Structures are given as structure tokens and as C-alpha cells.
């Protein structure tokens, strides 16, 4: 019986620590501003996802999570590319599994450094 109480209190402590960590992470998202910006030179998976966020009106994943207050973003399991984003006007953008950022669009993608 005593062991059961100990396990329950350990689980409650872990949940409290997890909630505290999440609030610190959300708080740090709110204070993060980019230190520098550059343009993409060639296509990569990262550039593809940045392209999708910027098409929806966000700088990057960090800003999207901050504005929409979400922890998870819908992604295609095969490629890891963003699957669906909600714009600021609450309409949705749905993206294909395959590459959408064409070579002629790569130089328009902004890459932020924090």
C-alpha cells in the first residue's frame, strides 16, 4: 500500500515538472526574436518547411507555435514535411507530401537565426 502511494506521488511530481517545463518553453517562445536573417541558397527539407510556414504568413515553426499556441504540427509521416497550417485569418493551408518549393522560389525563403 505504501509503495502505491509513493508511485502516485512520483507520477504527480513528474506531471507538475512537465507542466512547469512546458510553461517555461512557451514563455521562451514568446521572447525569442531572430538575431539575424539570410536567404536560402539551395533547397533542403528545412527550406521546404520554412517555405510552407512563410506561405501561411509565419516566420517559422517557432512563431506559428507561439501565435496558435499549439505543441504539435501536422506533418506527413513519410517526409516530415508540414501537412496543414492554420493562417492568421483561421483558414487552412493543406500541403502535399512532395516538394512544393520550386527551385525558382528557393531564394525567396528567409532563414532566421536565433
Amino acid at each position: 500500500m505504501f509503495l502505491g502511494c509513493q508511485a502516485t506521488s512520483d507520477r504527480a511530481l513528474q506531471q507538475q515538472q512537465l507542466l512547469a517545463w512546458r510553461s517555461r518553453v512557451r514563455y521562451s517562445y514568446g521572447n525569442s526574436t531572430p538575431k539575424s536573417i539570410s536567404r536560402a541558397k539551395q533547397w533542403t527539407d528545412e527550406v521546404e518547411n520554412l517555405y510552407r510556414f512563410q506561405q501561411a504568413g509565419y516566420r517559422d515553426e517557432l512563431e506559428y507555435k507561439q501565435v496558435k499556441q499549439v505543441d504539435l504540427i501536422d506533418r506527413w509521416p513519410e517526409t516530415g514535411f508540414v501537412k496543414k497550417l492554420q493562417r492568421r485569418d483561421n483558414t487552412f493551408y493543406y500541403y502535399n507530401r512532395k516538394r512544393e518549393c520550386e527551385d525558382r522560389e528557393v531564394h525567396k525563403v528567409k532563414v532566421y537565426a536565433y
Side-chain angles (χ1 to χ4, degrees):
M1 179 116 165
F2 178 75
L3 292 175
C5 292
Q6 181 67 27
T8 303
S9 65
D10 286 344
R11 185 172 294 142
L13 179 63
Q14 288 174 348
Q15 288 177 343
Q16 288 174 347
Q17 290 172 341
L18 179 62
L19 290 174
W21 177 80
R22 283 184 179 166
S23 66
R24 283 194 305 270
V25 169
R26 280 201 182 114
Y27 182 73
S28 66
Y29 282 164
N31 291 335
S32 59
T33 56
K35 303 297 180 201
S36 65
I37 181 175
S38 61
R39 297 281 182 166
K41 305 291 185 217
Q42 61 183 5
W43 185 89
T44 63
D45 289 350
E46 179 187 6
V47 169
E48 179 66 34
N49 280 328
L50 285 171
Y51 174 78
R52 293 172 185 219
F53 281 108
Q54 291 170 17
Q55 286 290 308
Y58 302 95
R59 267 194 323 254
D60 52 18
E61 183 175 350
L62 206 62
E63 184 183 34
Y64 181 79
K65 286 182 175 181
Q66 175 189 351
V67 171
K68 291 300 176 184
Q69 297 179 349
V70 296
D71 291 328
L72 296 175
I73 296 171
D74 290 336
R75 295 181 182 274
W76 290 105
E78 303 88 14
T79 59
F81 295 152
V82 173
K83 183 177 186 179
K84 176 181 74 172
L85 293 173
Q86 188 175 10
R87 293 183 355 176
R88 293 176 192 263
D89 64 358
N90 291 326
T91 58
F92 286 90
Y93 274 178
Y94 293 91
Y95 297 100
N96 294 325
R97 286 182 179 91
K98 297 181 181 177
R99 175 181 174 175
E100 292 199 5
C101 180
E102 298 178 16
D103 285 334
R104 67 174 184 246
E105 302 287 323
V106 169
H107 73 282
K108 297 177 183 177
V109 177
K110 297 176 184 177
V111 181
Y112 295 91
Y114 292 91

